[in-house]
Amino acid sequence: MSGTSDDAQLLDALRGLYDELDPPPADLVDGVLARLAAEELDVELLALVDSSELAGAVRGTTDAADAGTDESMTLEFAGASYRVLLRIDTVDGRRRLDGWVVPAVPMRVSLVPDTEGPVADYAAASSTAPDEHGRFEFADVAHGRFRIWLHPEPAGDEQSTLHPFATLPFLI
């Protein structure tokens, strides 16, 4: 019994139930933007434009207790200046985040735990620089809520007035 179409129908029914009984507030986006403005953060917020779960690969084992499912998910964020594609993989219980930023310009990319309050927990942040194609990665990421922060680096004679960009919080 494969159950693939039954599983998809069940998940669609559950999604519909949650949409009907517990929809997101109509003012959610405006509320987030108002909160950021109230905290006087000089940041452009990248909005989530696409999210999808990729088909998981089931590990082949002979012991049913060891059997499990590896998972993958993609998230795409966009703003006026940048687009960020994230792929989050779980393999053998370890999470990995691969990302691409367009356009590929010199910058620092930080994976920052999402905290309650105006100041992000930069001490717990991981940071990297994308390659010439805009690709970056964070291996062995902890579970939790995170944001991606993009910190563009000014060109040679450009003033350092570039503002950071941040994604909405997402779960890893």
Side-chain angles (χ1 to χ4, degrees):
M1 179 175 173
S2 73
T4 303
S5 68
D6 291 339
D7 290 346
Q9 289 174 344
L10 178 60
L11 290 174
D12 286 341
L14 284 172
R15 185 177 300 114
L17 178 67
Y18 275 102
D19 286 344
E20 182 180 326
L21 297 178
D22 190 20
D27 64 344
L28 179 65
V29 173
D30 292 335
V32 169
L33 294 175
R35 179 175 173 197
L36 287 173
E39 292 174 358
E40 296 182 16
L41 294 178
D42 198 8
V43 63
E44 180 180 333
L45 189 63
L46 300 175
L48 180 66
V49 293
D50 190 26
S51 172
S52 63
E53 286 191 39
L54 303 176
V58 178
R59 294 191 316 251
T61 65
T62 55
D63 183 358
D66 291 337
T69 302
D70 294 339
E71 302 169 355
S72 292
M73 170 186 251
T74 61
L75 301 169
E76 184 177 358
F77 296 92
S81 302
Y82 296 99
R83 290 185 84 80
V84 177
L85 177 66
L86 303 176
R87 179 183 167 123
I88 303 164
D89 291 305
T90 304
V91 178
D92 295 330
R94 300 178 78 153
R95 287 187 164 63
R96 173 186 174 94
L97 186 145
D98 292 284
W100 295 265
V101 61
V102 175
V105 297
M107 69 173 57
R108 295 297 301 166
V109 177
S110 300
L111 179 64
V112 181
D114 185 48
T115 59
E116 294 293 327
V119 179
D121 186 5
Y122 287 104
S126 298
S127 185
T128 189
D131 67 16
E132 67 274 7
H133 304 291
R135 186 183 180 287
F136 59 91
E137 65 182 61
F138 296 98
D140 202 16
V141 179
H143 298 266
R145 283 175 49 104
F146 290 89
R147 288 180 187 258
I148 293 286
W149 285 81
L150 307 176
H151 302 275
E153 296 175 2
D157 61 347
E158 194 175 292
Q159 295 294 324
S160 182
T161 59
L162 298 173
H163 303 292
F165 297 80
T167 66
L168 292 170
F170 56 92
L171 290 174
I172 293 184

